Structure formats: structure tokens, C-alpha cells
Amino acid sequence: MRKIILFIVLSILVGISDSNAQIIDFGKYTGGQYWSVTNDGVMGGLSKGNAWLSDSTVVFKGEVSLDNNGGFSSLRSPYNALDLSMYKSAEIRLKASGLDFSVTFAKNRRFYIPNYKYVMKLESNQWEVVTFDLDELKEYRLGNATGETISQRDLKNLIGISFINEGKEEGPFVLEVDYIKFK
């Protein structure tokens, strides 16, 4: 009888902790079609990227060019209030080939206002689960690290998430994201 009660209590606690997570699951997420691609063409570059929803993921594919001062392609969520101050970590299931990527968090629509980034070193074309503490997010201004990390106030006032190729390298890429979970 004690084992049954312990099992029920543990099941409830696990259910509570899972229900406290915020998940963007691209297999179930109805807002996935609102994510958009922004390439370096906004600044004269020639990189190309496209994104689409598969049955269970978002697929982001393209080619980064360094020609004409180019060097990036990004997949971005719509701008909405995003309060992550109640979460400690992020977990992202994804696979990539071609280039390394970062996940970034914006607090303002203006490109010159600092954003926060976590650089992911990914194995080529292998499904991976990348986990990091949100307080590890480093501040960047115009692509340069400032030496600061994200504050609790900024975690509360985020407005967007994006995936961007890392390291200003050229070449083809494919990034496929299954889910993003904050816990």
C-alpha cells in the first residue's frame, strides 16, 4: 500500500513539474507558420533561406554567402511578449548540417539593441537535445559579445526567439527543430 501511495505522489509531482514547462512543439504548434526567415539581404547580402513546417518539425534550409558584406540567415519567431523569468533552463531538440547555429532571444525589435545568445556546437545531421541554463545567455550588440549575461528583468521582457547561423561562415545548411522547452 505504501508503494502505491508513493507512486501516486511521485506521479502527481512529475505531472506538476512537466505542466510547469512551456513548450513550443513544432509538431503540434499552430503558430509555427508565423515564424519567418530574415536573410542578410536586409543589409545588401546575398544569403538565402526558406522555412516550412513538416509533420513534426520546422525545417530551415538555405545557403549563406559572404558576398556583398553578407553572412547570415535566420529563422525568427513572431514578436510577442515572452516572459521566461519563471524558468531556469531551455531544452531544444534539433539537428543541423552544414553550419553551426545559435539560438538568440530579443528584447527589442531594433537590431542595434543588445540581444542574448547561446552558441550551439552541433554534430552533423544527428538529432540532439541541447540543454542550457537561461542565466548562461550572453549579451551581444551587433554580433559582438559585451561580456554581460541576461538579467532577470530582461528574461521577463523578451519578445522573440531566433535561430541564426554562427561564425559568419558560408555554405549550405539545413536546421530542423522538433521542439523548444523552457523548464
Side-chain angles (χ1 to χ4, degrees), residues 120-138:
M120 301 179 287
K121 297 295 182 186
L122 304 168
E123 298 296 320
S124 184
N125 210 25
Q126 302 280 334
W127 280 107
E128 300 180 54
V129 175
V130 174
T131 303
F132 58 92
D133 290 336
L134 292 172
D135 62 8
E136 291 179 29
L137 291 171
K138 296 192 178 359

Side-chain angles (χ1 to χ4, degrees), residues 12-25 29 82-92 131 134 161 179-183:
I12 291 170
L13 290 176
V14 168
I16 289 170
S17 66
D18 284 349
S19 67
N20 287 337
Q22 179 176 340
I23 301 173
I24 300 170
D25 183 335
Y29 178 54
L82 180 63
D83 180 357
L84 298 180
S85 63
M86 66 208 79
Y87 303 106
K88 298 288 183 211
S89 65
E91 176 182 295
I92 306 170
T131 303
L134 292 172
I161 304 170
Y179 66 81
I180 306 167
K181 182 188 297 187
F182 300 103
K183 44 190 183 166

Side-chain angles (χ1 to χ4, degrees), residues 43-108:
M43 298 169 3
L46 302 174
S47 299
K48 297 184 183 334
N50 290 306
W52 63 90
L53 290 174
S54 73
D55 289 340
S56 60
T57 64
V58 61
V59 181
F60 176 39
K61 183 177 182 176
E63 185 156 355
V64 173
S65 170
L66 299 180
D67 293 342
N68 210 29
N69 262 349
F72 77 88
S73 186
S74 63
L75 175 65
R76 299 176 184 203
S77 72
Y79 290 120
N80 285 312
L82 180 63
D83 180 357
L84 298 180
S85 63
M86 66 208 79
Y87 303 106
K88 298 288 183 211
S89 65
E91 176 182 295
I92 306 170
R93 184 171 185 267
L94 47 74
K95 70 177 175 177
S97 64
L99 300 172
D100 284 326
F101 280 84
S102 293
V103 58
T104 65
F105 297 84
K107 64 179 181 179
N108 196 297

Side-chain angles (χ1 to χ4, degrees), residues 135-147:
D135 62 8
E136 291 179 29
L137 291 171
K138 296 192 178 359
E139 184 180 75
Y140 284 76
R141 179 186 305 272
L142 300 174
N144 298 308
T146 66

